């Protein structure tokens, strides 16, 4: 599992950690910010971890962990709608295993990871700044949830770095969004190269190379189209409509993320 995730023990957690837990047979992971006192702040859609408004929801939600009908004595039930919520660590994990997202990893380690959504080349801000952003957005929101454009991983990465993408690209910013779409996309992109490959092994190697390149250029630590913005300015722009979720367009170019678009 070292090539997929970075498993940690609860005792090693500290406020400001970006944590996650795999769901649905490793199809996707749910991300959040640990803020101490056994509490995690995370971003959801109507209290659910995923949501696209498409048939994909049937696969993701039905294959996710079974939910207990017994209400938690320490967590506040989520309000109707979509947004940032606070849960105890047990409810956040929902029976899953605890992992910690890694920041400022080397390019070699980043490319060695078999899945996106586990690490980034970007550098994290100090823990107190991370906790401040998470708590501020808990009270003020993070816009509308979308699995591919503005999801739980995008929320956690913003809390850790304060970085937002400022121009429209082709896929969601998060590493796991690139992984979900990037695999099939890599296969499609490698198809024109079949003429220069002599066997199936060459095709596989080409597809893997395209997939890795897509993940690398899409990582927020490598992108040039990002800007640092405070949580206060973020919520002000969301309220006035100058910051909004944009529609992705999948094309035959390397994946680039754009969960939130800054407009003048």
């Amino acid at each position: 599992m070292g090539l997929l995730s970075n498993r940690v023990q609860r005792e090693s957690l500290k406020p400001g950690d970006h944590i996650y837990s795999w769901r649905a047979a490793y199809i996707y992971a749910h991300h959040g910010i640990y803020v101490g006192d056994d509490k995690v702040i995370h971003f959801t859609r109507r209290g659910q971890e995923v949501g696209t408004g498409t048939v994909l929801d049937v696969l993701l939600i039905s294959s996710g962990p079974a939910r207990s009908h017994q209400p938690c004595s320490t967590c506040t039930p989520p309000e109707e709608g979509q947004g940032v919520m606070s849960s105890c660590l047990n409810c956040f994990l929902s029976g899953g295993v605890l992992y910690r997202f890694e920041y400022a990893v080397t390019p070699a380690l980043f490319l060695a990871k078999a899945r996106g959504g586990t690490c980034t080349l970007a550098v994290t801000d100090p823990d107190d700044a991370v906790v401040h952003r998470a708590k501020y957005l808990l009270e003020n929101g993070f816009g509308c949830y979308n699995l591919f454009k503005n999801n739980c991983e995008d929320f956690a990465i913003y809390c850790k770095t304060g970085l937002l993408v400022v121009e429209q690209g082709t896929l969601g910013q998060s590493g796991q969004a690139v992984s979900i779409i990037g695999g099939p996309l890599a296969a499609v992109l490698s198809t024109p190269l079949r003429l220069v490959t002599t066997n199936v092994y060459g095709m596989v190697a080409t597809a893997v190379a395209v997939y890795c390149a897509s993940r690398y250029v899409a990582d927020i630590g490598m992108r040039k189209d990002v800007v640092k913005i405070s949580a206060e300015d973020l919520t002000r722009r969301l309220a006035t409509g100058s910051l909004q979720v944009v529609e992705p367009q999948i094309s035959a170019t390397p994946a680039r993320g754009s969960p939130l678009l800054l407009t003048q």
Side-chain angles (χ1 to χ4, degrees):
M1 288 302 297
L3 292 180
L4 287 177
S5 306
N6 180 32
R7 185 170 181 173
V8 295
Q9 299 300 317
R10 294 178 180 227
E11 295 75 18
S12 70
L13 290 180
K14 64 182 186 305
D17 278 350
H18 173 173
I19 61 176
Y20 64 98
S21 182
W22 289 105
R23 303 285 197 263
Y26 296 96
I27 294 176
Y28 75 98
H30 189 53
H31 296 247
I33 299 295
Y34 182 72
V35 294
D37 297 325
D38 202 43
K39 294 294 184 182
V40 183
I41 296 177
H42 51 121
F43 189 43
T44 69
R45 177 182 184 268
R46 298 189 178 96
Q48 300 173 351
E49 297 168 1
V50 297
T52 65
T54 71
V55 70
L56 182 61
D57 291 348
V58 177
L59 170 64
L60 294 177
I61 296 174
S62 63
S63 57
R67 297 293 182 183
S68 172
H69 297 291
Q70 185 69 27
C72 178
S73 60
T74 62
C75 293
T76 302
E79 298 180 359
E80 181 64 24
Q82 48 196 342
V84 184
M85 61 185 295
S86 176
S87 303
C88 70
L89 186 56
N90 282 336
C91 287
F92 172 81
L93 293 176
S94 190
V97 177
L98 174 64
Y99 299 95
R100 182 161 48 210
F101 199 94
E102 297 176 286
Y103 283 79
V105 300
T106 64
L109 177 59
F110 181 84
L111 293 174
K113 293 289 186 178
R115 278 291 305 269
T118 62
C119 64
T120 178
L121 300 161
V123 177
T124 180
D125 286 333
D127 292 335
D128 57 347
V130 176
V131 172
H132 166 74
R133 289 190 191 111
K135 290 184 175 180
Y136 188 87
L137 295 177
L138 175 64
E139 298 297 327
N140 296 277
F142 191 63
C144 295
Y145 180 96
N146 185 282
L147 179 63
F148 295 117
K149 295 171 285 186
N150 196 43
N151 59 39
C152 59
E153 186 182 348
D154 298 321
F155 168 79
I157 289 175
Y158 169 73
C159 288
K160 290 288 285 185
T161 66
L163 298 176
L164 290 176
V165 177
V166 296
E167 68 179 25
Q168 185 171 356
T170 57
L171 296 176
Q173 173 185 322
S174 75
Q176 63 180 330
V178 174
S179 290
I180 291 172
I181 303 180
L185 182 61
V188 171
L189 291 177
S190 65
T191 301
L193 301 178
R194 65 186 181 278
L195 297 178
V196 298
T197 58
T198 59
N199 53 47
V200 66
Y201 300 107
M203 287 295 296
V204 170
T206 302
V208 170
V210 173
Y211 167 65
C212 290
S214 297
R215 282 187 54 228
Y216 188 76
V217 300
D219 184 72
I220 199 166
M222 284 296 297
R223 301 174 62 102
K224 303 301 182 183
D225 55 346
V226 295
V227 64
K228 194 129 184 165
I229 180 172
S230 68
E232 292 79 4
D233 194 21
L234 167 62
T235 54
R236 178 185 63 79
R237 289 171 181 254
L238 286 169
T240 59
S242 62
L243 186 63
Q244 54 190 297
V245 176
V246 299
E247 293 293 332
Q249 297 176 351
I250 300 176
S251 62
T253 57
R256 300 172 62 197
S258 56
L260 294 173
L261 175 66
L262 285 174
T263 58
Q264 301 298 323

